Amino acid sequence: MAKLILTPENQIQRLNTIFNSVEQLRDLPLVQLKKRFNPKTWSVLEVILHLNIAYGHYHTKFEEIIPNLSSIDVEQKKFKCRAWQKFVIEGQRPKNNVRKWKMKTLKRFEPIIDLEHVDDKKANEIIDSFFALYGHLKETIVTSRGKNVTKIKFASAIGPIVNFYLPESFEFLICHLERHTVQISEILKQVEK
Amino acid sequence: MRDEDFLLLKNLFFNLRISDKEEEHFKSLWCTKYFKQNDLKTEAGSIERNFYLVLEGVQAIYVLNEKGEKVVLGFSYTGSPSGVFDSFVSGEPSKIFLEALKPSRLLAISKSDSLDLFKNDPSFYQWGHHFFQEVLFGRLSREVELLTLTAEQRYISFMQRCPDELKVIPQKYLASYLNMKPETFSRLRASTVY
């Protein structure tokens, strides 16, 4: 199996690309952001809300871990992702703008929102939260460039069955974001029809 | 602004003819920014907001290849301009990183302030014409070197023209800039006189 080498610069670049595409959502009419293609699927705002919920666990973990990592003076060495973690990450990563495996979302990560009562202000709040949370992710990645990231592992949001070193968790979160960015494009295409 | 910093600025904008009052205004548009070693001044995917003049330190501009490796396009160093110029001009997200390889001190001017200068003073416009001409000639010359010279010739040509402060940055950046493996760079360093 080919190695998966993780670098903070690659992750920062992809995260910025995602930020640019989410920022563009602010220009869309509210009705497009709220519309579900069918009752069983999510609207764009529900996808963003799901992403916000999904970051909660990692926000707490990063706040705990970062102060405990030792600083390094030299540039961080390339980080090789472990096999099981790579498998989990690749399950999230979209290929050629297609989500490979569609999966059921765990109950605790489901977005619960009364779309009928969402106005422009509420929609902007959801998008603002997205930028605050994932801005924290970017800040954490930038900080990790000067830290030894090979010492502390932690359990992922789905439990100790998957544990991550920091670069693996960053990659997982970014692939998860990329997966849902593809989903947002799909929703918007359907809604525009 | 320190006198020696302003001298570097005047050296970069060599053709300016401005009154004392205009000079004060010109100075006031620049602010000093500090970066630690390995700080990212500009990230790929973000928009370059500033044009810089380097007061101290060395920086590299690079893109990432498919393997996530840094491919170095160029360096900036004391006295030279710095920034991701295509993104600065177009206002589009950059594909390029700009990283401080040494602790760096730079003067920065924002896009709106620089546009005002260009709009209001023809000597800035002339300077801009000269500057982008130099950038173009520099890129063409580098392309010719990369396509026509051997690794050893590229190494010699670079070492003869590069300032001393560039010679002490990590070798992998210099090797990447010269489109060779770090091992090749190391071997040439040990065996080649320039």
Side-chain angles (χ1 to χ4, degrees):
Chain A
M1 196 161 46
K3 286 183 208 166
L4 175 61
I5 303 293
L6 306 176
T7 68
E9 291 81 12
N10 174 272
Q11 292 171 336
I12 289 166
Q13 179 166 357
R14 284 156 60 212
L15 200 46
N16 283 336
T17 304
I18 293 163
F19 286 169
N20 292 337
S21 69
V22 174
E23 190 60 48
Q24 286 175 357
L25 296 177
R26 290 190 198 269
D27 299 333
L28 296 177
L30 182 63
V31 64
Q32 247 174 300
L33 299 178
K34 283 167 55 168
K35 193 164 179 184
R36 288 176 173 164
F37 177 61
N38 74 49
K40 284 186 179 173
T41 58
W42 291 344
S43 66
V44 170
L45 279 179
E46 285 173 302
V47 174
I48 303 280
L49 194 57
H50 161 71
L51 291 171
N52 293 353
I53 297 165
Y55 189 68
H57 169 81
Y58 297 94
H59 189 288
T60 314
K61 287 289 172 191
F62 295 158
E63 288 290 301
E64 281 170 23
I65 291 168
I66 287 284
N68 295 319
L69 295 177
S70 55
S71 297
I72 49 170
D73 291 334
V74 289
E75 196 177 321
Q76 206 181 84
K77 285 185 185 150
K78 285 177 188 169
F79 187 95
K80 189 183 155 201
C81 185
R82 293 167 295 159
W84 168 231
Q85 285 69 16
K86 185 188 167 197
F87 178 78
V88 174
I89 288 166
E90 295 302 335
Q92 291 293 328
R93 193 192 308 276
K95 292 277 157 65
N96 300 322
N97 281 328
V98 176
R99 290 178 291 152
K100 272 196 306 186
W101 300 333
K102 302 222 172 147
M103 47 188 91
K104 184 95 184 85
T105 307
L106 293 173
K107 203 88 187 151
R108 64 177 187 275
F109 297 127
E110 280 182 6
I112 298 167
I113 187 167
D114 179 5
L115 284 171
E116 268 190 31
H117 291 97
V118 171
D119 54 10
D120 281 315
K121 185 170 171 268
K122 180 68 188 164
N124 268 322
E125 278 172 15
I126 292 171
I127 297 175
D128 288 345
S129 292
F130 172 87
F131 280 106
L133 291 164
Y134 287 93
H136 179 268
L137 170 62
K138 189 167 128 184
E139 215 174 276
T140 309
I141 298 173
V142 170
T143 307
S144 77
R145 294 175 77 239
K147 302 281 182 185
N148 182 348
V149 293
T150 61
K151 297 293 176 204
I152 299 179
K153 287 183 277 194
F154 64 98
S156 70
I158 52 170
I161 187 164
V162 184
N163 65 48
F164 286 136
Y165 285 110
L166 276 182
E168 292 165 339
S169 68
F170 301 153
E171 189 68 16
F172 176 82
L173 283 165
I174 293 169
C175 287
H176 181 245
L177 281 169
E178 288 171 337
R179 178 185 185 80
H180 285 293
T181 309
V182 168
Q183 185 185 7
I184 288 173
S185 304
E186 289 168 359
I187 297 169
L188 289 174
K189 262 186 217 154
Q190 303 279 12
V191 167
E192 281 164 11
K193 270 182 191 169
Chain B
M1 188 185 294
R2 299 179 198 168
D3 288 347
E4 62 268 31
D5 296 347
F6 188 57
L7 272 180
L8 280 176
L9 195 57
K10 280 214 295 203
N11 195 40
L12 179 65
F13 290 89
F14 61 94
N15 68 327
L16 293 195
R17 283 178 199 91
I18 48 179
S19 65
D20 288 351
K21 197 179 159 197
E22 287 167 332
E23 190 172 288
E24 279 313 303
H25 172 67
F26 179 56
K27 270 185 185 176
S28 73
L29 301 177
W30 296 81
C31 64
T32 309
K33 293 193 179 249
Y34 297 85
F35 296 91
K36 295 196 290 287
Q37 185 164 346
N38 301 328
D39 272 0
L40 295 172
K41 276 163 60 186
T42 308
E43 297 164 357
S46 68
I47 297 170
E48 176 64 274
R49 307 280 177 195
N50 294 305
F51 177 90
Y52 298 97
L53 165 69
V54 184
L55 301 173
E56 281 174 46
V58 178
Q59 304 82 39
I61 53 169
Y62 59 82
V63 291
L64 301 177
N65 65 14
E66 275 195 350
K67 294 179 192 163
E69 295 162 340
K70 296 174 183 176
V71 178
V72 176
L73 307 175
F75 301 101
S76 46
Y77 42 84
T78 306
S80 78
S82 182
V84 180
F85 304 137
D86 56 346
S87 174
F88 181 75
V89 171
S90 69
E92 295 291 319
S94 161
K95 292 188 175 81
I96 295 170
F97 284 90
L98 176 58
E99 178 174 342
L101 300 182
K102 295 279 169 193
S104 298
R105 193 166 65 87
L106 299 99
L107 285 178
I109 185 168
S110 70
K111 177 152 181 175
S112 59
D113 285 341
S114 69
L115 282 179
D116 280 347
L117 288 175
F118 279 98
K119 217 181 286 171
N120 298 327
D121 190 328
S123 60
F124 280 99
Y125 200 81
Q126 283 160 6
W127 176 84
H129 176 76
H130 170 84
F131 175 74
F132 284 107
Q133 189 172 286
E134 288 297 306
V135 170
L136 177 65
F137 291 168
R139 298 319 294 181
L140 284 174
S141 156
R142 173 161 155 75
E143 196 171 336
V144 169
E145 279 196 2
L146 283 174
L147 294 172
T148 60
L149 300 186
T150 64
E152 186 176 354
Q153 287 168 331
R154 291 199 299 277
Y155 172 83
I156 292 170
S157 167
F158 176 73
M159 284 307 196
Q160 282 174 343
R161 70 170 185 264
C162 90
D164 286 344
E165 62 181 331
L166 261 187
K167 291 174 185 165
V168 294
I169 62 172
Q171 282 191 22
K172 68 171 191 171
Y173 287 95
L174 297 173
S176 171
Y177 177 73
L178 294 172
N179 194 26
M180 59 181 75
K181 292 201 164 95
E183 296 81 3
T184 308
F185 183 88
S186 189
R187 179 174 53 77
L188 288 168
R189 183 123 134 172
S191 63
T192 311
V193 179
Y194 57 87

